[in-house]
Amino acid sequence: MNTFDKTNRNLSHAKMLVVEDNADYWLLIKKSLEQVLPEVKPVLAQTPEQALDLLNEWSLQEWELPKLILQDLYLPTREDGWQLLKKIKQLPSACSRIPVVILSSSSSRADIEEAYQFGSASYLVKPVDFPGWINFFGELRTYWWETVSLPPVHFSL
């Protein structure tokens, strides 16, 4: 299978859950995604509770699950972010296997180490300007949609 076929398969009906409590960051994320990943539908959850509600709702239908979760760490505190990540990883396998990419303004070594310890697939520091966001999502597209192979979703009854 060539890269084009794989990209089309990965982007077909793709959804990304974005867990972000800051409206300004959400606007930057949404505008950047429109330019770099127009095939992907971003869905905003402003609180950990909203994110878990959406995942539980989608968990019954494979085609509704997002391909990726982009999660801010400070929701508004880092403890809130850690709790959400832990809860996502405790969900049934259809949801717990969705890659969670932690996106944070923090470049603290402790935050980075804990993110991986708690099961995140990646830890990325938020860009500082709009061109940085465009570059960020270009790299995200290349890796998560055009390069990586993820296991299929399997539901357990």
Side-chain angles (χ1 to χ4, degrees):
M1 175 182 303
N2 65 40
T3 302
F4 180 75
D5 292 337
K6 184 175 180 185
T7 301
N8 282 343
R9 187 187 75 224
N10 286 340
L11 289 171
S12 176
H13 306 291
K15 184 186 300 181
M16 179 188 305
L17 177 59
V18 179
V19 187
E20 174 60 67
D21 62 344
N22 181 303
D24 292 334
Y25 278 126
W26 165 243
L27 188 60
L28 284 168
I29 290 167
K30 187 176 175 188
K31 291 294 181 193
S32 301
L33 281 170
E34 287 170 0
Q35 289 188 27
V36 180
L37 276 164
E39 312 90 341
V40 173
K41 177 184 176 190
V43 178
L44 174 65
Q46 293 179 302
T47 67
E49 295 77 20
Q50 286 178 345
L52 291 170
D53 287 346
L54 285 168
L55 288 169
N56 283 318
E57 179 183 323
W58 295 332
S59 69
L60 301 176
Q61 301 166 333
E62 175 182 350
W63 60 90
E64 290 290 343
L65 289 172
K67 302 277 187 204
L68 186 70
I69 299 170
L70 190 61
Q71 180 196 320
D72 184 25
L73 177 56
Y74 287 77
L75 293 169
T77 69
R78 69 192 286 270
E79 287 72 27
D80 294 323
W82 294 143
Q83 286 302 315
L84 175 59
L85 180 57
K86 290 176 189 176
K87 286 178 182 177
I88 290 170
K89 293 304 172 184
Q90 292 171 353
L91 291 171
S93 68
C95 290
S96 66
R97 291 174 62 180
I98 299 168
V100 178
V101 174
I102 297 294
L103 182 61
S104 178
S105 297
S106 169
S107 59
S108 159
R109 182 180 189 110
D111 286 346
I112 295 167
E113 288 177 4
E114 285 184 88
Y116 288 105
Q117 179 183 355
F118 295 139
S120 75
S122 291
Y123 185 100
L124 303 168
V125 177
K126 289 179 179 178
V128 295
D129 57 17
F130 189 68
W133 282 97
I134 294 295
N135 184 55
F136 170 82
F137 281 110
E139 296 291 329
L140 191 94
R141 176 188 181 107
T142 299
Y143 185 73
W144 287 108
W145 270 272
E146 297 174 6
T147 305
V148 74
S149 295
L150 297 172
V153 175
H154 295 286
F155 291 93
S156 56
L157 301 174

